[in-house]
Amino acid sequence: MSDGSIDIAQEARRQAQDIPLEQLNPAQPELFSGDAMWEHFARLRREDPVHFTADSDYGPYWSITKYNDIMAVDINHQVFSSADGIVLQSLESKAESAGRPIRPSFIAMDPPKHDVQRKAVSPAVAPANLHLMAPVIRERAGAILDGLPIGEEFDWVDLVSKELTAMTLATLFDFPFEDRRKLTYWSDMMTNPPGHGVCESWEQKRRELGECFDAFDRLWNQRINAPPQSDMISMMAHAEATRDMDPNEYHGNVTLLIIGGNDTTRNTISGSIYALNKNPDQYAKLKANPGLISSMVSETIRWQTPLAHMARTALADIELGGKLIRKGDRVAMWYVSGNRDDEVIANPDSYIIDRERPRNHLSFGFGVHRCVGNRLAELQLTIIWEEILKRFPTVEVVGEPLRTHSVFVKGYETLPVIIPSRN
């Protein structure tokens, strides 16, 4: 790890221990990019699991940090609404977007509108369709892995994680396959603030996302004038509940599906390589028993927690954990913290691929907003690891990753690796 990262981690630990509790603010991108937020959440779980931050770059908000409290918020959509957005939005971003069109997606809607829009696309990731997609994903995963360099350093995020998820997402949209990495680029443009990742300025973000929505408008026009097909764009264009949707809602759903289909799976693929290298006993256990792949996948999804939080707005005064959350207050469910709650998960900071209940995690959410593509994510991760173990004795991480500068996407920009040899 770089000296800078060590300094960030040390300062974060000092801050988490010494700062007055009422000033504790976990919503700091620097904490996440430095992998230095853990002490903040540990203290909140111990001392103030329903915690109010009065002043932050995201405005005032409540932090919900324990597993059962997070679940209580997640399943109570009657009181905790998604309609004001499902992420903490920075004050800078709010100022930039003021007066611009709002692009709501179905995850940022409450029932019943949420339900009918979600239902329009859910067949694309239903078990029957996943069964059809599995051999295609396996063929592509094999081709990606067979094309990797042996004995020389490369970026796993770029050559494997991004590539496999871009291929799968292009298939779900029936997006031009040769342009699939545009989906990755647009996802990064959507989730990164100016000055980080591919995003250099607000003007660039507006321009690039305009090009994205123009491309998807063309796909909509093609699909609505053609017989119904099994891709998500065609499903929305022909479903009764969505075929007449406002263009801004369509763009919002495109945004949701691009980010949801890209970031979570790609960062867990990268996270699995990193976690296994950090825990060589678990890597040895996996290589000795490939039957543990499914369990390892679920444990990685918990340990990585690819989306750090989801946000809600209280529609009424409500008491939670002895605190009064008032109508209109913003609430952040910190999945990344709940997944380390030792009252629910034994040895939560340890990476254990043969846990008794490995799917006992918060990463996919609960209730009506539970991740629609969770089984597809698990499928891609399972297949890529089945194919990795067939080909390589090991994949070695040779440097610390560059982590995403975000309080929402908990991921990796780069991960340097070497594959010493093939089987």
Side-chain angles (χ1 to χ4, degrees):
M1 184 179 288
S2 70
D3 289 343
S5 295
I6 291 172
D7 291 343
I8 290 171
Q10 290 175 342
E11 172 60 22
R13 282 193 293 271
R14 184 203 63 75
Q15 182 190 91
Q17 293 163 2
D18 296 345
I19 194 170
L21 184 62
E22 64 272 13
Q23 296 178 22
L24 206 61
N25 170 30
Q28 301 178 60
E30 296 79 10
L31 294 178
F32 287 85
S33 60
D35 197 36
M37 65 289 182
W38 302 109
E39 288 295 328
H40 286 68
F41 287 124
R43 185 179 175 195
L44 288 177
R45 288 194 303 273
R46 286 192 309 268
E47 300 180 26
D48 198 19
V50 179
H51 172 78
F52 185 68
T53 297
D55 183 26
S56 82
D57 290 342
Y58 301 86
Y61 70 96
W62 291 90
S63 285
I64 315 301
T65 54
K66 291 187 70 66
Y67 190 107
N68 289 326
D69 289 337
I70 291 168
M71 184 183 291
V73 171
D74 224 354
I75 64 176
N76 188 359
H77 64 267
Q78 295 91 347
V79 173
F80 294 102
S81 169
S82 299
D84 287 340
I86 50 90
V87 302
L88 293 175
Q89 186 181 15
S90 71
L91 299 178
E92 181 184 12
S93 177
K94 288 180 181 178
E96 161 62 22
S97 60
R100 300 186 186 281
I102 297 173
R103 297 186 178 98
S105 64
F106 63 76
I107 200 173
M109 297 175 184
D110 297 324
K113 193 171 186 178
H114 159 273
D115 300 346
V116 294
Q117 291 204 7
R118 176 184 169 114
K119 186 178 179 180
V121 298
S122 58
V125 288
N129 205 42
L130 296 186
H131 179 74
L132 297 175
M133 290 182 68
V136 178
I137 294 172
R138 188 174 302 279
E139 180 181 358
R140 291 171 177 171
I144 290 169
L145 297 174
D146 288 341
L148 296 177
I150 302 300
E152 61 183 77
E153 182 178 324
F154 67 94
D155 178 15
W156 182 269
V157 174
D158 183 44
L159 296 191
V160 182
S161 302
K162 287 183 177 180
E163 185 65 1
L164 182 63
T165 51
M167 288 179 169
T168 303
L169 197 53
T171 299
L172 289 172
F173 288 139
D174 193 15
F175 189 85
F177 200 69
E178 65 277 9
D179 293 332
R180 61 190 177 277
R181 289 300 285 266
K182 287 184 178 180
L183 298 171
T184 306
Y185 177 76
W186 288 330
S187 181
D188 290 343
M189 188 62 64
M190 292 166 178
T191 56
N192 276 292
H196 297 278
V198 299
C199 184
E200 298 175 358
S201 67
W202 289 110
E203 191 281 329
Q204 180 202 18
K205 184 187 281 273
R206 290 193 300 271
R207 183 179 68 250
E208 299 288 358
L209 295 188
E211 292 182 7
C212 168
F213 298 139
D214 286 347
F216 274 88
D217 286 345
R218 290 192 293 272
L219 292 179
W220 176 280
N221 291 333
Q222 291 170 9
R223 306 294 156 75
I224 203 167
N225 292 308
Q229 300 295 324
S230 60
D231 65 274
M232 286 181 162
I233 307 304
S234 182
M235 288 176 178
M236 285 190 286
H238 289 277
E240 183 177 354
T242 52
R243 65 190 180 197
D244 296 319
M245 72 167 67
D246 184 278
N248 287 319
E249 286 188 5
Y250 171 56
H251 295 163
N253 284 325
V254 164
T255 300
L256 165 65
L257 296 170
I258 288 176
I259 295 172
N262 174 72
D263 276 294
T264 52
T265 305
R266 113 185 183 199
N267 288 316
T268 310
I269 292 173
S270 301
S272 64
I273 292 288
Y274 185 72
L276 289 165
N277 271 265
K278 286 293 183 182
N279 299 272
D281 60 323
Q282 301 300 303
Y283 204 171
K285 193 186 296 183
L286 181 68
K287 288 185 279 190
N289 181 10
L292 290 173
I293 288 176
S294 178
S295 176
M296 179 275 291
V297 163
S298 292
E299 173 68 347
T300 304
I301 292 168
R302 179 197 72 85
W303 186 87
Q304 176 61 35
T305 316
L307 295 180
H309 81 271
M310 285 282 178
R312 301 287 188 263
T313 300
L315 297 180
D317 291 359
I318 186 170
E319 184 176 309
L320 182 69
K323 301 291 184 69
L324 179 62
I325 298 173
R326 295 196 177 278
K327 180 180 179 179
D329 285 356
R330 291 289 278 166
V331 176
M333 300 177 288
W334 290 106
Y335 293 163
V336 66
S337 175
N339 277 338
R340 302 295 177 103
D341 184 352
D342 62 7
E343 290 187 4
V344 177
I345 301 168
N347 301 313
D349 293 325
S350 298
Y351 181 74
I352 304 169
I353 68 168
D354 53 354
R355 284 186 180 273
E356 186 174 344
R357 297 173 60 212
R359 296 182 76 177
N360 183 31
H361 62 74
L362 294 162
S363 298
F364 291 133
F366 286 95
V368 298
H369 293 294
R370 182 169 173 81
C371 176
V372 69
N374 61 330
R375 292 294 182 262
L376 176 58
E378 292 172 339
L379 178 66
Q380 290 182 87
L381 285 152
T382 298
I383 287 174
I384 194 70
W385 269 103
E386 288 172 349
E387 298 304 314
I388 289 169
L389 293 182
K390 289 176 186 176
R391 288 166 170 79
F392 310 130
T394 189
V395 179
E396 297 179 0
V397 173
V398 294
E400 282 297 301
L402 176 64
R403 292 180 171 86
T404 308
H405 184 87
S406 173
V407 300
F408 179 58
V409 175
K410 183 173 171 288
Y412 306 88
E413 299 293 330
T414 61
L415 181 64
V417 304
I418 288 177
I419 300 175
S421 63
R422 298 185 187 275
N423 288 335

